Coordinates of all heavy atoms in Angstrom, one line a residue:
A168 N -15.0 16.7 -4.9 CA -14.5 17.6 -5.9 C -13.0 17.5 -6.1 O -12.2 17.1 -5.2 CB -14.8 19.1 -5.3
G169 N -12.6 17.9 -7.3 CA -11.1 18.0 -7.6 C -10.5 16.5 -7.8 O -11.2 15.6 -8.2
R170 N -9.3 16.5 -7.4 CA -8.5 15.2 -7.5 C -7.5 15.1 -6.5 O -6.9 16.1 -6.1 CB -8.0 15.0 -9.0 CG -6.9 16.0 -9.3 CD -6.3 15.7 -10.7 NE -7.2 15.9 -11.8 CZ -7.0 15.6 -13.0 NH1 -6.0 14.9 -13.3 NH2 -8.0 15.9 -14.0
A171 N -7.1 13.9 -6.2 CA -5.9 13.7 -5.2 C -4.6 13.9 -6.0 O -4.7 14.2 -7.2 CB -6.0 12.3 -4.7
S172 N -3.6 13.9 -5.2 CA -2.3 14.3 -5.9 C -1.4 13.1 -6.2 O -0.7 13.0 -7.2 CB -1.4 15.1 -4.9 OG -2.0 16.3 -4.7
A173 N -1.6 11.9 -5.4 CA -0.8 10.7 -5.8 C -1.4 9.5 -5.0 O -2.2 9.7 -4.1 CB 0.7 10.9 -5.3
Y174 N -1.0 8.3 -5.5 CA -1.4 7.1 -4.9 C -0.2 6.3 -4.3 O 0.9 6.6 -4.6 CB -2.0 6.1 -6.0 CG -3.4 6.6 -6.5 CD1 -3.5 6.8 -7.9 CD2 -4.5 6.8 -5.7 CE1 -4.7 7.2 -8.3 CE2 -5.7 7.2 -6.2 CZ -5.8 7.4 -7.6 OH -7.0 7.8 -8.1
D175 N -0.6 5.5 -3.3 CA 0.5 4.6 -2.7 C -0.2 3.2 -2.7 O -1.2 3.0 -1.9 CB 0.8 5.0 -1.3 CG 2.0 4.2 -0.7 OD1 2.3 3.2 -1.3 OD2 2.6 4.6 0.3
L176 N 0.2 2.3 -3.5 CA -0.3 0.9 -3.6 C 0.7 -0.1 -3.0 O 1.9 0.0 -3.4 CB -0.7 0.6 -5.0 CG -1.2 -0.8 -5.3 CD1 -2.5 -1.0 -4.6 CD2 -1.3 -1.0 -6.9
R177 N 0.2 -0.9 -2.2 CA 1.1 -1.9 -1.6 C 0.5 -3.4 -1.6 O -0.8 -3.5 -1.6 CB 1.5 -1.5 -0.2 CG 2.3 -0.2 -0.1 CD 2.9 0.1 1.2 NE 3.3 1.5 1.3 CZ 4.1 2.0 2.2 NH1 4.5 1.2 3.2 NH2 4.5 3.3 2.2
Y178 N 1.4 -4.4 -1.6 CA 0.8 -5.7 -1.6 C 1.6 -6.7 -0.9 O 2.9 -6.5 -0.6 CB 0.6 -6.1 -3.1 CG 2.0 -6.3 -3.8 CD1 2.7 -7.6 -3.9 CD2 2.5 -5.2 -4.5 CE1 3.9 -7.6 -4.6 CE2 3.7 -5.3 -5.3 CZ 4.4 -6.5 -5.2 OH 5.6 -6.7 -5.9
R179 N 1.0 -7.8 -0.4 CA 1.7 -9.0 0.2 C 1.0 -10.3 -0.2 O -0.1 -10.2 -0.8 CB 1.7 -8.8 1.7 CG 2.5 -7.6 2.2 CD 2.4 -7.5 3.8 NE 3.1 -8.7 4.4 CZ 3.2 -8.8 5.7 NH1 2.6 -7.9 6.5 NH2 3.8 -9.9 6.2
T180 N 1.6 -11.4 0.1 CA 1.0 -12.6 -0.1 C 0.2 -13.1 1.1 O -0.4 -14.2 1.0 CB 2.0 -13.7 -0.5 OG1 3.0 -13.8 0.6 CG2 2.7 -13.3 -1.7
S181 N 0.0 -12.3 2.1 CA -0.8 -12.7 3.2 C -1.8 -11.5 3.4 O -1.5 -10.3 3.1 CB -0.1 -12.8 4.5 OG 0.7 -11.6 4.8
A182 N -3.0 -11.9 3.9 CA -4.1 -10.8 4.0 C -3.8 -10.0 5.3 O -3.2 -10.5 6.3 CB -5.4 -11.5 4.1
P183 N -4.3 -8.7 5.3 CA -4.1 -8.0 6.5 C -5.0 -8.5 7.7 O -6.1 -9.2 7.4 CB -4.7 -6.6 6.1 CG -4.6 -6.6 4.6 CD -4.8 -8.0 4.2
S184 N -4.4 -8.5 8.9 CA -5.2 -8.8 10.0 C -5.9 -7.6 10.6 O -6.1 -6.6 9.9 CB -4.3 -9.5 11.1 OG -3.3 -8.6 11.5
T185 N -6.1 -7.6 11.9 CA -6.7 -6.4 12.5 C -5.7 -5.3 12.6 O -6.1 -4.1 12.7 CB -7.2 -6.7 13.9 OG1 -6.1 -7.3 14.7 CG2 -8.3 -7.7 13.9
D186 N -4.4 -5.6 12.5 CA -3.3 -4.6 12.6 C -2.9 -4.3 11.1 O -1.9 -4.6 10.6 CB -2.1 -5.1 13.3 CG -1.0 -4.1 13.6 OD1 -1.2 -3.0 13.1 OD2 0.0 -4.4 14.1
T187 N -3.7 -3.4 10.5 CA -3.4 -3.0 9.1 C -2.1 -2.2 8.9 O -1.4 -2.3 8.0 CB -4.6 -2.2 8.5 OG1 -5.8 -2.9 8.7 CG2 -4.4 -1.9 7.0
L188 N -1.8 -1.4 10.0 CA -0.6 -0.6 9.9 C 0.7 -1.4 9.8 O 1.5 -1.2 9.0 CB -0.5 0.3 11.1 CG 0.8 1.2 11.2 CD1 0.9 2.1 10.0 CD2 0.8 2.0 12.5
S189 N 0.7 -2.5 10.6 CA 1.9 -3.4 10.6 C 2.0 -4.0 9.2 O 3.0 -4.2 8.6 CB 1.8 -4.5 11.7 OG 1.9 -3.8 13.0
W190 N 0.8 -4.6 8.7 CA 0.8 -5.2 7.4 C 1.3 -4.2 6.4 O 2.1 -4.5 5.5 CB -0.6 -5.5 7.1 CG -0.8 -6.2 5.7 CD1 -0.9 -7.6 5.5 CD2 -1.0 -5.7 4.4 NE1 -1.1 -7.9 4.2 CE2 -1.1 -6.7 3.5 CE3 -1.1 -4.4 4.0 CZ2 -1.3 -6.5 2.2 CZ3 -1.2 -4.1 2.7 CH2 -1.4 -5.2 1.7
W191 N 0.8 -2.9 6.4 CA 1.2 -1.9 5.4 C 2.7 -1.6 5.4 O 3.3 -1.5 4.4 CB 0.4 -0.6 5.7 CG 0.7 0.5 4.8 CD1 1.6 1.6 5.1 CD2 0.1 0.8 3.5 NE1 1.6 2.4 4.1 CE2 0.7 2.0 3.1 CE3 -0.9 0.2 2.8 CZ2 0.3 2.6 1.9 CZ3 -1.2 0.8 1.6 CH2 -0.6 2.0 1.2
N192 N 3.2 -1.5 6.6 CA 4.7 -1.2 6.7 C 5.6 -2.4 6.2 O 6.7 -2.1 5.8 CB 5.0 -0.9 8.2 CG 4.5 0.4 8.6 OD1 4.2 1.3 7.9 ND2 4.2 0.6 9.9
A193 N 5.1 -3.6 6.3 CA 5.9 -4.7 5.8 C 5.6 -5.1 4.3 O 6.3 -6.0 3.8 CB 5.6 -5.9 6.7
A194 N 4.6 -4.4 3.7 CA 4.2 -4.7 2.4 C 5.1 -4.2 1.4 O 5.9 -3.2 1.6 CB 2.8 -4.2 2.1
T195 N 5.1 -4.8 0.1 CA 5.9 -4.3 -1.0 C 5.2 -3.1 -1.6 O 4.0 -3.2 -1.9 CB 6.1 -5.4 -2.0 OG1 6.8 -6.6 -1.4 CG2 6.9 -4.9 -3.3
K196 N 6.0 -2.0 -1.8 CA 5.4 -0.8 -2.4 C 5.6 -0.8 -3.9 O 6.7 -1.1 -4.4 CB 6.1 0.4 -1.8 CG 5.5 1.8 -2.3 CD 6.1 2.9 -1.6 CE 5.6 4.2 -2.1 NZ 6.2 5.4 -1.3
V197 N 4.5 -0.6 -4.7 CA 4.5 -0.4 -6.1 C 5.2 0.9 -6.5 O 4.8 1.9 -5.9 CB 3.1 -0.5 -6.6 CG1 3.2 -0.3 -8.2 CG2 2.4 -1.9 -6.4
P198 N 6.2 0.8 -7.3 CA 6.9 2.1 -7.7 C 5.9 3.2 -8.1 O 5.0 2.9 -8.9 CB 7.9 1.7 -8.8 CG 8.1 0.2 -8.6 CD 6.8 -0.3 -8.0
S199 N 6.2 4.4 -7.7 CA 5.2 5.5 -8.0 C 5.2 5.7 -9.5 O 4.1 6.1 -10.0 CB 5.7 6.8 -7.3 OG 7.0 7.1 -7.7
G200 N 6.2 5.4 -10.3 CA 6.2 5.6 -11.7 C 5.3 4.6 -12.4 O 4.9 4.8 -13.5
S201 N 4.9 3.5 -11.7 CA 4.0 2.6 -12.3 C 2.5 2.9 -12.0 O 1.6 2.2 -12.5 CB 4.3 1.1 -11.7 OG 5.5 0.8 -12.1
L202 N 2.3 3.9 -11.2 CA 0.9 4.3 -10.8 C 0.4 5.5 -11.5 O 1.2 6.4 -11.9 CB 0.8 4.6 -9.3 CG 1.2 3.4 -8.4 CD1 1.2 3.9 -6.9 CD2 0.1 2.3 -8.5

């Protein structure tokens, strides 16, 4: 029901391993204005 408030999209040129949190923290964040 309803809708979320915002998105956070990130990317890297390497795939996440089992440690997704470390991958996420080192990834490039897409500006919120582009989402």
Side-chain angles (χ1 to χ4, degrees):
R170 65 175 71 190
S172 295
Y174 291 123
D175 188 348
L176 175 64
R177 303 189 186 190
Y178 63 91
R179 293 181 67 181
T180 56
S181 60
S184 61
T185 55
D186 186 1
T187 306
L188 177 61
S189 295
W190 182 97
W191 178 265
N192 290 335
T195 299
K196 182 176 180 178
V197 176
S199 58
S201 300
L202 297 174

